[in-house]
Amino acid sequence: HTSFSTNNPGQKVFTTKDLPYGKQVIWPPHCVIGTSGADFHKDLNTNKANLIIRKGFRKEIDSYSGFFENDKITHTGLDGALKNAGIKKVFVVGLALDFCVQYTALDSKRLGFETYVIKQATLPVDIGSSVEETMKNFKKYGIKLIDKYS
């Protein structure tokens, strides 16, 4: 992927570079399709899933949100699938709190869903003030941070 450090010789991980859609963080390779890093958690039963959305598989554009690629134009299909199913509430979990979880939660709220982030089911990358900014955004946009789903 264009955002991976392996495709950016000489650039340090967690620095940024300019791409046509804006600033892009340089990441260590992760969640590569076909590797164990892209596998679902072993305790997650995907046999009961009605739909699995893939994101971040386009070489030229990264994807933090579950709803849009980072260009904010290219849809993943999640919005339409949820609305077609009559879903009104979205619970966001995963990695990383201050990037993919935050972008997904912000887009969820912007698209009209009541949005929750389950704190115990996510961890941050924690670059500079990224966690602090994430918490400010959750508060600013009315995204509810909860300890667990019950």
Side-chain angles (χ1 to χ4, degrees), residues 51-58 61-82 100 103-104 107-108 110-111 113:
L51 176 68
I52 295 175
I53 297 288
R54 303 277 181 206
K55 69 180 192 75
F57 61 88
R58 292 172 175 87
I61 184 168
D62 208 345
S63 182
Y64 296 163
S65 172
F67 291 93
F68 295 96
E69 305 292 3
N70 283 0
D71 64 359
K72 302 288 187 196
I73 298 167
T74 308
H75 296 258
T76 65
L78 182 57
D79 178 40
L82 295 177
C100 295
Y103 280 63
T104 299
D107 283 344
S108 172
R110 186 175 56 79
L111 291 166
F113 297 99

Side-chain angles (χ1 to χ4, degrees), residues 85-104:
I87 293 172
K88 307 271 188 235
K89 293 181 185 179
V90 171
F91 294 83
V92 185
V93 301
L95 298 173
L97 172 71
D98 41 347
F99 286 89
C100 295
V101 169
Q102 176 187 201
Y103 280 63
T104 299

Side-chain angles (χ1 to χ4, degrees), residues 36-46:
S36 62
D39 289 347
F40 289 111
H41 189 279
K42 64 181 177 55
D43 295 335
L44 181 64
N45 183 356
T46 58

